[in-house]
Amino acid sequence: MAKMWAGRTDGVTDRIADDFNSSIHFDSRMYRQDITGSMAHAAMLGARNIITNEEADTLIAGLEGILADIDSGKLAIDMSCEDIHMFVEQELTARLGDVGKKLHTARSRNDQVALDLRMYLRDEITEIIGLIRDVLEALVEQAKVNADTIMPGYTHLQRAQPITFGHHLMAYAMMLLRDIDRLRDCARRLNVSPIGSCALAGTTYDTDRRFEAAKLGFDDICLNSLDGVSDRDFAVEFMSDVSVLMMHLSRFSEEIILWSSWEFKFVELSDAYTTGSSIMPQKKNPDMAELIRGKTGRVYGDLVALLTTLKGLPLAYNKDMQEDKERVFDCVDTIKMCLAVMAPMVATMKSIPENMRRAAGNGFINATDMADYLVRKGLPFRTAYKISGQIVARCIADGKVLETLPLDVYQSYSPLFGEDLFEEISLDTCVRKRISEGGTSVESVLRQIAFVTEKLTQL
Ligand code: ARG
């Protein structure tokens, strides 16, 4: 069949070229945005007397009918069309006759597709923020239960200082709050309408771009028509934000995987979010967390693919840009799935406080607190640090830990050591005394929880 754009050529393309060129098998997911955008366009054409008001009403009613029929499943999208824009126009003309052919006055698919993608992302960002919120709620609940659960805090994956599990979880809550902030910022910046840029240069019709933008809930219009049709910054920005978000989920997943290993056993995942092995009967594998970690690479790939596609593209629209949508859609689908599985996995995860405490107690995790003890007794920190290091070395040589080294041995290193040392270096004291703002003390964790809870009510 000849294409709707037949004219300059006979519009007959080779089947392979057709398949290669067509985007309907993926851009049909924007049918709602496409039709809604067209309704606003028809209304604008009517309001500016570019078509009659009656024609505008007919077009809008026709478009409403198409939307309802796709929604209800009565109308199947014709996959032989080149793209969703062509399909909607073809269907409209089939239903309305010649008046349907007026819809595409004073616009082009170039500004239309840019409009659709912005509207689509705007909707998806709202959904994604809702899903992040579910993860945040799960984190807050777990942090409340574990506000005083002592575990080892690590640097270099070496036991460093005692912290609480609640504190560790709230670190992820802070990351996710920033992710929401970034996505909101992206939604704000993308909420600028390109429609009316037309093919590239604007139009000779007396259009009202602001009318159309306002009808579609945009805050502003793109002020340069070339930029309007060439700009995919918003898609790159969205994928960057999702990449950072995935990086956070991946780091958390990695810790969940470590924590649920037999070597750590700090947490036990619910059976619902683990799998068994087909051969090893003892296995309970954290597949969901591993997949989240794995899919992070895929999202980074989407981002880099689009950046690479855009690099070196001359203005204005080039067909290369059709490659944007599958990458964006893949990002949207992936992040939504990851968040949807992360929330209940975290909510149902059980901490095992005795194992965490055992791991915290078995090393020299309180060595900093021993040095701080000497500082409080009057030694400069660097001197106290050195003595403490020597004591640790002595413990290792003697097969002891700080709690079991006799006081007289301590006193052979410094006369400042007294009986109160053992209370001062107990794990509970170490955590209780970390009162600095943002520290690991229980009060500080409760303050963080209150902060995040308050932020959630403002969303
Ligand atoms: N399917 C195209 C895309 O996704 C729509 C814009 C086509 N414009 C054009 N002049 N061929 O980019």
Side-chain angles (χ1 to χ4, degrees), residues 23 27 83 85 109-110 113 317 319 321-322 325:
S23 56
D27 64 22
D83 54 31
H85 327 296
R109 276 185 298 161
N110 298 349
V113 72
Y317 178 83
K319 190 74 172 199
M321 291 164 79
Q322 180 166 287
K325 280 170 287 299

Side-chain angles (χ1 to χ4, degrees), residues 83-98:
D83 54 31
I84 187 64
H85 327 296
M86 287 303 201
F87 167 73
V88 173
E89 199 182 324
Q90 173 186 292
E91 181 63 26
L92 193 66
T93 306
R95 290 183 181 204
L96 305 180
D98 273 355

